[in-house]
Amino acid sequence: MENNSNDQEKLKNMEHVEHDYEHHQRNPGPSHEAVHQENDEGAGPALIWIIPPLVLVLIITWLLFML
C-alpha cells in the first residue's frame, strides 16, 4: 500500500514534458540533461572487473576439458 501512495505522489510532482511546444518543433532533439547525464553509480566499473576474469576462467576450463 505504501508503494502505491508513493507512486501516486511521484506522478503528482512530475513536470510536464511538453511545456514549450514551439521550441520543441524548432529543436526536436533530446534535452542536454538526457544526453550528458552523469552516471557515478553505474554497474560499468563492476562489470569491467567481473566479466573479463570470468571469461578467462571459462576459456581455461573449456580448454582443459577439450584436451
Side-chain angles (χ1 to χ4, degrees), residues 42-60:
L47 292 176
I48 289 173
W49 288 101
I50 293 172
I51 292 177
L54 182 64
V55 169
L56 186 63
V57 167
L58 290 173
I59 290 173
I60 291 172

Side-chain angles (χ1 to χ4, degrees), residues 1-8:
M1 284 295 203
E2 186 177 311
N3 287 341
N4 191 17
S5 64
N6 285 341
D7 291 341
Q8 289 175 354

Side-chain angles (χ1 to χ4, degrees), residues 35-49:
V35 176
H36 300 293
Q37 182 178 14
E38 289 190 26
N39 186 7
D40 57 349
E41 298 178 6
L47 292 176
I48 289 173
W49 288 101

